[in-house]
Amino acid sequence: MTPDTPLSKTTGPDGPTDTVPGKTTGPAKTTGSAKTTGSAKSTGSAKSTGSAKSTGSAKTTGSAKSTGTTAATGTRAPLPKAAARPFRLAFPPLSGTLRPRQLAVSAGLVVAVFAALCWHVSIGEYGIPLADVARALTGSGDAGTLLVVQELRLPRAMTGLLAGIAFGMSGALLQTMTRNPLASPDMIGLTQGAGTAVVAGIVLGWDFGLGTQALGLFGALASALIVYGLAWRRGTTGYRIILVGIGVSWICLSATDYLLARGGRFQAQAALGWLVGNLNGRDWQQAEPLAYALVVLVPTALLIGRLMRTLQLGDDVAKGLGTRVQTVRLTVLLTGVGLVAFATAAAGPVAFVALAAPQIAQRLCRTAWPPPLAAGLTGALVVLASDVVARELIPGTELPVGIVTGVLGAPVLLWLLIRVNRAGSGG
């Protein structure tokens, strides 16, 4: 109390007391007129009381903290939009999540693939307007246009489209299974195994009447089983599968080179033209078996995609969630083998499509893993666009589509290597 502060006399139940204006002493504390009854604090006229904290008459309310209302306006703050929306169907019994961006990207890719297909069919020595191509695809138009579109050009375009879907989806499956963006049929020996079997059938005549489709399936399946068996050590891991697959791929390449050196001139030329990845001269005999295979393999790849996502969390976490890790991994490997085998048998080992398409689709959809459907559509778009470039780059000469995809895919491979090296996740 300062000397200039005047004293005032107050009379309480215990007698007169000295008080200072603005403060309460003695009896005020004893009777609790300011604290217990809280005439100043309980009503919130000076500061804020417990009721003010709960109701928010002076400062911020508890409801604002718990429900997210703002103190200034009292309105509810908008919630962020969900990236995935769950759904459940009564019949058929099915549940899952819908990702709006992924659906929008897939729809956009469908439109882009159809436009690329029409563009692919329209170009050539006999140019056809896009409107006439669209009508010919539905079976209407003059006889000459129908003959050129449906019998001469459409089989090649459909072979490229279906092969691109198969390569893109197989790459997405393998990259998700191994948790490595460098894992693709080109890297772990599946494509090379299919190529060795087909070249052996061409050069040595060991096709046994099975054709390139069956030989490609046999070669890819054999190399996959070798890779899986050699990588097994109380289970398999993505890192071991990649390392063993690289070794198996080099063995298959050496065997292919030996077969080419042993074979005759014409057989070697036919095999070399197929090994580069080529759509020249493709007809419905190559497109139809690939289409039948995709009818079975594409739904299988989409159904096992939900189980593969748990593998992204690691083997221990996936086992804790009830996932049979080795069974899922083997199923994914066999599905990827079937996709790449039929695609390789129809169009040859088109380079880098299975490596680049899943990474492009993943960045378009902004997901943590390569989405199989978007990756397949991206692969189809890449193959069709590359084949158009191969046909039109040098007038009068049709290059194999594998050359164009190799030129475009090599920078993607270098970028992935740099990215993995910087991230420090080599496997």
Side-chain angles (χ1 to χ4, degrees):
M1 181 172 55
T2 61
D4 297 332
T5 304
L7 295 177
S8 61
K9 296 283 186 178
T10 59
T11 303
D14 297 330
T17 57
D18 293 332
T19 59
V20 180
K23 291 187 178 181
T24 305
T25 62
K29 292 183 179 178
T30 304
T31 60
S33 59
K35 223 172 193 180
T36 306
T37 60
S39 60
K41 288 187 176 181
S42 61
T43 58
S45 59
K47 285 188 177 180
S48 59
T49 66
S51 61
K53 289 181 181 178
S54 60
T55 60
S57 60
K59 285 189 177 180
T60 308
T61 67
S63 61
K65 291 180 181 179
S66 59
T67 61
T69 56
T70 60
T73 61
T75 59
R76 186 179 297 273
L79 296 175
K81 294 183 179 180
R85 299 176 182 176
F87 72 92
R88 182 184 297 273
L89 300 179
F91 182 81
L94 182 66
S95 64
T97 55
L98 293 177
R99 292 175 172 81
R101 182 179 180 85
Q102 188 172 339
L103 293 176
V105 169
S106 299
L109 287 172
V110 169
V111 175
V113 168
F114 180 75
L117 177 68
C118 295
W119 181 34
H120 187 284
V121 174
S122 66
I123 63 174
E125 295 182 359
Y126 175 66
I128 303 175
L130 291 176
D132 294 341
V133 171
R135 284 193 293 268
L137 292 177
T138 61
S140 59
D142 59 273
T145 303
L146 289 175
L147 175 64
V148 173
V149 171
Q150 296 185 354
E151 299 298 330
L152 300 180
R153 297 181 182 176
L154 188 59
R156 172 175 179 163
M158 288 301 300
T159 302
L161 186 151
L162 297 175
I165 292 176
F167 280 127
M169 295 193 74
S170 65
L173 294 179
L174 295 176
Q175 290 177 11
T176 304
M177 180 188 71
T178 59
R179 291 182 291 162
N180 194 314
L182 298 178
S184 69
D186 311 283
M187 296 293 175
I188 64 174
L190 302 184
T191 304
Q192 290 80 3
T196 301
V198 173
V199 170
I202 294 175
V203 174
L204 303 179
W206 290 358
D207 57 352
F208 305 107
L210 298 177
T212 58
Q213 303 283 347
L215 287 174
L217 179 60
F218 172 77
L221 182 60
S223 62
L225 292 178
I226 292 173
V227 170
Y228 196 82
L230 294 177
W232 181 273
R233 190 179 64 187
R234 297 179 181 178
T236 59
T237 62
Y239 187 68
R240 290 205 299 268
I241 287 176
I242 293 175
L243 289 180
V244 174
I246 291 175
V248 171
S249 66
W250 281 104
I251 294 174
C252 293
L253 287 174
S254 301
T256 302
D257 293 338
Y258 170 75
L259 291 172
L260 292 176
R262 180 178 175 178
R265 178 182 302 177
F266 296 104
Q267 294 173 331
Q269 288 179 351
L272 280 175
W274 179 86
L275 280 174
V276 178
N278 205 340
L279 295 177
N280 297 338
R282 296 299 186 266
D283 54 21
W284 291 114
Q285 293 182 354
Q286 286 80 29
E288 288 179 355
L290 179 57
Y292 295 146
L294 292 185
V295 170
V296 178
L297 294 174
V298 169
T300 304
L302 296 178
L303 288 176
I304 63 178
R306 182 176 180 180
L307 297 177
M308 285 194 306
R309 293 168 193 167
T310 60
L311 298 180
Q312 294 284 324
L313 305 175
D315 292 354
D316 295 335
V317 177
K319 290 178 182 177
L321 294 175
T323 302
R324 297 181 178 180
V325 175
Q326 300 305 327
T327 302
V328 172
R329 189 168 283 147
L330 181 60
T331 304
V332 171
L333 184 62
L334 293 178
T335 305
V337 166
L339 289 168
V340 72
F342 282 100
T344 303
V350 183
F352 290 116
V353 176
L355 177 70
Q359 294 300 309
I360 297 173
Q362 180 178 352
R363 278 148 185 81
L364 289 176
C365 296
R366 296 180 182 176
T367 55
W369 62 90
L373 181 59
L377 295 172
T378 304
L381 183 61
V382 169
V383 173
L384 288 175
S386 299
D387 195 41
V388 171
V389 174
R391 293 170 60 186
E392 299 295 319
L393 184 62
I394 301 177
T397 302
E398 292 188 356
L399 297 175
V401 65
I403 295 178
V404 179
T405 58
V407 172
L408 297 177
V412 176
L413 176 60
L414 294 176
W415 173 74
L416 286 175
L417 287 172
I418 294 173
R419 178 175 174 270
V420 169
N421 185 42
R422 289 178 177 176
S425 58

